[in-house]
Amino acid sequence: QVQLVESGGGLVEPGGSLRLSCAASGSIRAIYTMGWYRQAPAKQRELVAGVTSGGNTNYANSVKGRFTISRDNAKNTVYLEMNSLKPEDTAVYYCIADVRGMITTERARYWGQGTQVTVSS
């Protein structure tokens, strides 16, 4: 019904920057919260950042001041601008979107397949 396609991951040096993108497509009536989770090896998956349909944002304390989340509602796309990257930011980053479909009235959370971000010199 809904697909999330992520892009922008890769290898960067400590202190560098990277921008992730995630575009939602399919039978969509409305998208509410969009955001990013990440999971490092031997670590639990954690919320990195989220943005509501009204533009309100929240961030994990570990990335606050370094990462910025934004969205383009016309393109059903969410972005994560990552600056001053650290080795501990290395993880698989997953896009999420809370979606109301065109037929059902229920909201459902969709997940992207994940994109690898590696921060290393």
Side-chain angles (χ1 to χ4, degrees), residues 106-119:
E106 295 184 355
R107 298 187 188 189
R109 171 159 290 185
Y110 291 86
W111 292 77
Q113 77 284 355
T115 184
Q116 177 71 47
V117 172
T118 302
V119 184

Side-chain angles (χ1 to χ4, degrees), residues 22-26 28-35 50-57 69-79 96-99:
C22 174
S25 62
I28 298 171
R29 179 174 178 84
I31 302 179
Y32 302 95
T33 296
M34 303 186 80
V51 56
T52 69
S53 59
N56 294 319
T57 60
I69 189 170
S70 62
R71 64 191 288 172
D72 185 337
N73 290 334
K75 297 180 178 180
N76 289 338
T77 299
V78 63
Y79 306 94
I96 65 97
D98 295 333
V99 176

